[in-house]
Amino acid sequence: MLEVSRLTTRYGAISALRDAELRVGSGEVVGLIGPNGAGKTTLLGSIAGLLSPAAGSVTFEGADITGHSPEKLLRLGVALVPEHRRIFGDLTVEENLKIGGITQSRDERAELLDEMGERFPVLREKRTVAAGYLSGGESQQLAIARALMSKPRLLMMDEPSLGLAPVLVDVVFELIESLRSQGRTLLVVEQNATRMLEAADRAYVLRSGEIVAQGTGAELRERPDLFDTFVGGNGQ
Ligand code: ATP
């Protein structure tokens, strides 16, 4: 479904991502793990049209989407839940969700709103509340629900568990599991490598701007050279 080939992205003279190769098959849940500053957000942003790659290509369902804008990608079925949620604090929960469904027809949008209400009861309960008043866990649910409103064929998430209390981290991983059981295709950046490897079919390990390993959780956990990916605060 998604093929990333030799993708390189620079910030000025710094190559934050070098020759990245990555593939996500339809219905797969793929994790992207690695220490702070490894380039995970850069890779996701380069796929999602937030950053312009200096070299390489991104292909989605056979079409070259390298450098496409986020709006164009949304219409093609590629959605991103960005780091730090980035929801509209002054707008209500429901207004945020409607914005997520902007590419859908009116009827479809209403149907999706109902679906999100069932999946995220707290969002239904607080639908008239300004999103700025939501807790961290609720905001994350809203950010994910907003992305789901676009009926994405590929959903990418950047650090969905970041800054959440442990019980809410569980909620996020339960949600990933439930999306996976529905056959959704996900690419998820996570600092929490241990949990991500349990939740994903496969994962890629990024370090200093390069993909240094890929495989199933079982395969990656057996690699002693990747030990530092799972400890030192990144695997907890
Ligand atoms: P984190 O988990 O801390 O978000 P990450 O793996 O997502 O880390 P990136 O945010 O992609 O890493 O950063 C990769 C490298 O690029 C880092 O060395 C970072 O300092 C650098 N970098 C990121 N954004 C910029 C920017 N806007 N300008 C210059 N350098 C940047």
Side-chain angles (χ1 to χ4, degrees):
M1 180 178 257
L2 180 77
E3 293 253 7
V4 170
S5 178
R6 307 209 61 177
L7 205 62
T8 295
T9 301
R10 300 194 181 99
Y11 299 107
I14 305 164
S15 290
L17 186 70
R18 284 184 301 280
D19 288 332
E21 301 270 338
L22 174 146
R23 193 179 57 75
V24 181
S26 179
E28 255 194 321
V29 174
V30 173
L32 198 50
I33 58 177
N36 271 325
K40 306 183 294 298
T41 296
T42 301
L43 176 49
L44 223 51
S46 305
I47 297 170
L50 301 175
L51 297 166
S52 300
S57 67
V58 184
T59 309
F60 179 65
E61 295 190 322
D64 187 348
I65 59 162
T66 320
H68 277 23
S69 69
E71 292 75 23
K72 203 165 173 189
L73 292 176
L74 207 59
R75 290 183 192 280
L76 290 173
V78 180
L80 171 72
V81 181
E83 203 172 6
H84 309 304
R85 354 273 199 230
R86 303 208 187 284
I87 50 179
F88 302 107
D90 293 339
L91 301 183
T92 66
V93 166
E94 190 164 292
E95 286 164 345
N96 269 278
L97 290 174
K98 283 184 175 162
I99 289 172
I102 208 142
T103 54
Q104 307 300 311
S105 71
R106 208 189 167 87
D107 288 352
E108 247 172 338
R109 198 155 54 229
E111 231 170 77
L112 284 159
L113 262 181
D114 280 347
E115 197 185 313
M116 292 311 137
E118 268 158 48
R119 190 188 270 284
F120 305 96
V122 69
L123 298 184
R124 171 175 280 168
E125 211 175 282
K126 300 198 172 180
R127 66 183 186 281
T128 58
V129 171
Y133 289 104
L134 299 182
S135 70
E138 290 164 353
S139 308
Q140 186 61 65
Q141 291 182 56
L142 176 56
I144 294 171
R146 185 179 59 184
L148 289 173
M149 285 289 295
S150 70
K151 279 184 139 178
R153 281 184 288 156
L154 170 67
L155 177 62
M156 300 190 282
M157 301 188 210
D158 196 351
E159 307 258 16
S161 80
L162 190 72
L164 298 184
V167 60
L168 294 171
V169 172
D170 288 347
V171 170
V172 166
F173 280 100
E174 276 159 24
L175 178 63
I176 291 174
E177 183 51 48
S178 108
L179 293 172
R180 172 199 157 98
S181 67
Q182 287 184 342
R184 303 261 195 168
T185 309
L186 305 180
L187 177 59
V188 186
V189 161
E190 257 297 338
Q191 281 273 314
N192 194 327
T194 309
R195 292 291 296 269
M196 195 61 230
L197 289 185
E198 283 163 13
D201 296 302
R202 285 185 303 121
Y204 290 83
V205 182
L206 256 175
R207 195 186 283 162
S208 305
E210 287 180 6
I211 289 177
V212 294
Q214 72 99 15
T216 63
E219 287 163 355
L220 294 174
R221 272 189 293 262
E222 275 173 21
R223 296 262 307 258
D225 58 316
L226 301 178
F227 187 71
D228 66 340
T229 304
F230 306 115
V231 296
N234 293 317
Q236 305 311 304

